[in-house]
Amino acid sequence: MVLDITKFLNRFIDEARDLLGYLGEGVKNLEQGQCDAELINSLFRSAHTVKGSSRMLKLQSIADTAHSLEELLSALRDQKITVTQPIVDGIYQAVDSLSDMVEQLASSQDPNSLPSAPQALCDALLALAAGEKSAPTTAQPLAQPVSMANEVAAAQTSKPQPALASSDSVRLRLESLESLSKLISEVTASHAGLRELVRDAQALKLSWESAQDAVLSKQRFDSLFNNLKEIVGSQEALIYSLHDQAMGLRMLPLKQVFEPAAKHIREVGRMLGKQVSSQISGEHIELDRSIIEQLSEPLVHLLRNAMDHGIEEPQTRLDQGKPAAGLLKLSAWQDGGWVVIELSDDGAGLSLEKIRQKLAKQQLSADEIANMGEQELFNQVFLPGFTTASMITEISGRGVGLDVVKRKVVDDLQGLIEVRSQEGKGTSFTLRLPLSLAMLRVLLVETAGHMLGFSAQYVVELTRITPEQILEVADRNVFVLRNEFVPIFELHQLIGLPNLTNTPGQISKNLLLLVVRVQHEKIALVIDRLVDEHDLIINTLPEHLAHNPLVSGMVNHGYQQLVSLIHVPRLLELARKKHQKTADNSIKSITQQHLLVVDDSLNTREIERDVLEAWGYQVTLAEDGLDGLNKARNGDFDAIITDVEMPFMDGFTLTTHLREHERYKNRPIIIITSREKDSDRRRGIEVGADAYIVKGSFDQNNLVDTIRALLG
């Protein structure tokens, strides 16, 4: 009788993934200096189990590779050899090779599809076990069973490319299944109660038609209403519990994509000839499976970008006083309704000068480039086709990558991405992702007769303002929200919806504003009313509507009413474009005077710059007091405009330091802040400010007149 092994393959694959994951963690501990006997024994047992299981299923290539690894670990266990870097590298390569074969088996479900064992690697492992000192021959990584969409670099080279992939099966705790079964039983019982109430209602209808006693009929109706209300409330609670349980089953740890990341780093490092170590933390954080599965592509791009562009060659790093091996950190943590993933390197960092040169080649004017702040310049790396690489390689340089990352994170995963860098010291990319795309906290609002939804992670607050609080600055309406200018837009006009209520604008009465934010940028949207706030299931758009970037999904409200969920990052892009069109018409006078604007609010910086540039001033922006002080010392400004409340250094301290500098002893310094107290005004005068303007009563003409008076 021939044994049918196919039904055992999935069990083997799950077990092998667990064991290889443990081997990967163990060799990381070995590399960090933990060489106790128990660790080595447990690694040996894991390799031995993989070997034994694969031999039983006639998976010869896996068995042979695992046997070579087992021999090396046996020599370590018996203290015939000691842990060295070549041994650590050999174990890493063996684990990577075994993982490749297991994933290929999972993809094909055909043992005959496996290639032969990597003989060069097996021989090198046996040589290390025998006490030879040389490092193992670099093994070619196997072709991955999961292809990466948009991985252009991989498609254009014959070399196999590593990929991150999540498992197509998950293990469930027995108590989770029992809890789910219990909830389903309770929902079934509740539904039976509803059927009883339907029969009661039918009986009431018949009795009502023939009843002579109105009081009795009303009593029966009240009883039916109360019972119906109670059972519907109970069923609603059960449905939410059932959904929570189902969502819990969908959640997977980031380990699913973080664990292969270390392997990916090693393989790309070998391809590039670079030494790179990795630090991974937060892999226990859980995300919805649908997000985990889509996270692979952006992480691959970011890892490859860091390896190729970020980490320098070993000799270059040594010449700069850095260790020869670069460091990549991949970490995650939960922040409210978001999961934050950060990938950072200690490499060369982004060169602002190279970014400016690239933008100049893309036909941007010198003035446009000069007016870009540091963060705005960094954000240019997400533009399609943007690359500062001087040469196209197998890994990068084609201008494909970071634009794919942004599109995937922002559009597909409803998240945010931010880049920070310091030249010579490294770069970090921060991704903020919702816990789930299946259900989100949604605010339903009504504007001009239309109902629209906003996911809560983008909402700052709802607030009412009077017409007197509206300021006209740089050709747009703004109001002051906690020390920053926030632009105001009519929501239906911004997204091009007709006014179905046929009522004029609300400028003459109090406005209800929905303030939304993407990273550091805010806008306020005029709405008529807040309809509801609920955790709602997000339905994907039908194919014929999927092209609309402004709508990220649909939610159900009331009795089968579909409501569009607005994609806030695209909404802010619309707001920026709308202002750019009106700003193009501004009349500028001619002056060469150069002003420095210092404010930690992106909105406020941009609005003040628009006002000043409209009058012909050249403007440089600084993001906080310390940044402002550095730019002032390295530049030559005719006047400085600063906020007070800022991180790192407040405006009072900045003014004090500037007055100590020879160049700025007598240059005008203007404080613009929301602080209205006389004590704050006196403090401004004491530290040397020439003017003090309160944002709540801000008038752009007053600002320009003040600057003109001070500059003469």
Side-chain angles (χ1 to χ4, degrees), residues 155-174:
Q156 295 184 359
T157 177
S158 59
K159 286 192 176 184
Q161 305 298 325
L164 313 182
S166 62
S167 170
D168 59 358
S169 61
V170 293
R171 294 183 176 181
L172 302 178
R173 295 191 302 270
L174 183 59

Side-chain angles (χ1 to χ4, degrees), residues 381-671:
V381 301
F382 294 115
L383 292 176
F386 190 95
T387 179
T388 57
S390 57
M391 181 185 298
I392 293 177
T393 69
E394 296 170 347
I395 301 298
S396 60
R398 296 174 173 83
V400 176
L402 292 183
D403 63 314
V404 174
V405 171
K406 183 176 182 182
R407 194 162 57 244
K408 174 66 73 173
V409 170
V410 175
D411 293 344
D412 296 347
L413 299 180
Q414 303 294 300
L416 305 171
I417 185 168
E418 185 176 16
V419 58
R420 298 188 304 277
S421 185
Q422 192 171 356
E423 194 165 352
K425 294 188 176 180
T427 303
S428 67
F429 289 88
T430 303
L431 285 63
R432 294 178 65 85
L433 303 169
L435 287 169
S436 172
L437 294 178
M439 175 176 274
L440 295 173
R441 191 73 173 176
V442 174
L443 277 75
L444 298 175
V445 304
E446 189 175 284
T447 177
H450 303 274
M451 193 179 299
L452 300 168
F454 289 83
S455 52
Q457 66 258 34
Y458 294 117
V459 176
V460 178
E461 63 185 85
L462 277 167
T463 185
R464 285 193 181 274
I465 64 170
T466 63
E468 291 74 25
Q469 292 175 272
I470 299 174
L471 306 171
E472 187 174 342
V473 183
D475 298 320
R476 54 183 159 183
N477 291 329
V478 304
F479 81 110
V480 179
L481 177 67
R482 288 186 292 279
N483 199 41
E484 67 177 310
F485 292 127
V486 179
I488 302 172
F489 294 90
E490 291 276 357
L491 176 55
H492 72 282
Q493 291 179 1
L494 183 59
I495 59 181
L497 293 175
N499 189 342
L500 301 180
T501 60
N502 296 318
T503 57
Q506 296 180 320
I507 199 69
S508 61
K509 63 178 183 178
N510 292 354
L511 298 183
L512 178 61
L513 301 179
L514 177 71
V515 183
V516 294
R517 173 179 59 198
V518 174
Q519 292 179 341
H520 307 296
E521 187 176 3
K522 298 185 184 79
I523 61 172
L525 305 167
V526 179
I527 62 173
D528 296 334
R529 67 187 182 99
L530 173 66
V531 178
D532 209 344
E533 179 184 0
H534 269 305
D535 291 323
L536 297 175
I537 296 173
I538 310 302
N539 302 301
T540 57
L541 293 173
E543 189 173 345
H544 68 285
L545 295 177
H547 66 280
N548 188 344
L550 193 57
V551 180
S552 58
M554 308 289 288
V555 296
N556 282 310
H557 172 69
Y559 187 69
Q560 299 300 318
Q561 180 182 5
L562 285 176
V563 179
S564 297
L565 188 65
I566 298 299
H567 189 33
V568 175
R570 293 297 181 186
L571 192 67
L572 265 70
E573 287 182 15
L574 276 181
R576 284 195 294 270
K577 290 177 182 177
K578 183 172 183 179
H579 174 66
Q580 287 168 0
K581 291 178 181 178
T582 58
D584 290 342
N585 299 324
S586 55
I587 300 173
K588 297 184 178 181
S589 60
I590 300 175
T591 176
Q592 297 300 315
Q593 290 170 319
H594 194 179
L595 310 180
L596 175 65
V597 172
V598 188
D599 201 298
D600 63 318
S601 162
L602 172 63
N603 289 341
T604 302
R605 290 197 304 270
E606 296 290 338
I607 288 172
E608 290 178 358
R609 179 174 68 178
D610 289 345
V611 170
L612 297 170
E613 286 184 343
W615 288 91
Y617 294 103
Q618 183 182 352
V619 180
T620 294
L621 302 178
E623 298 175 357
D624 53 62
L626 187 58
D627 184 31
L629 183 61
N630 291 332
K631 286 181 176 175
R633 286 172 172 171
N634 296 325
D636 188 6
F637 299 97
D638 297 289
I640 295 172
I641 300 161
T642 180
D643 186 22
V644 171
E645 299 175 45
M646 297 181 291
F648 307 116
M649 181 184 294
D650 65 30
F652 294 141
T653 307
L654 170 62
T655 303
T656 301
H657 285 302
L658 289 173
R659 289 308 187 203
E660 294 170 351
H661 196 283
E662 185 64 33
R663 187 183 307 145
Y664 297 105
K665 277 187 176 180
N666 300 306
R667 300 275 175 98
I669 299 177
I670 301 167
I671 290 177

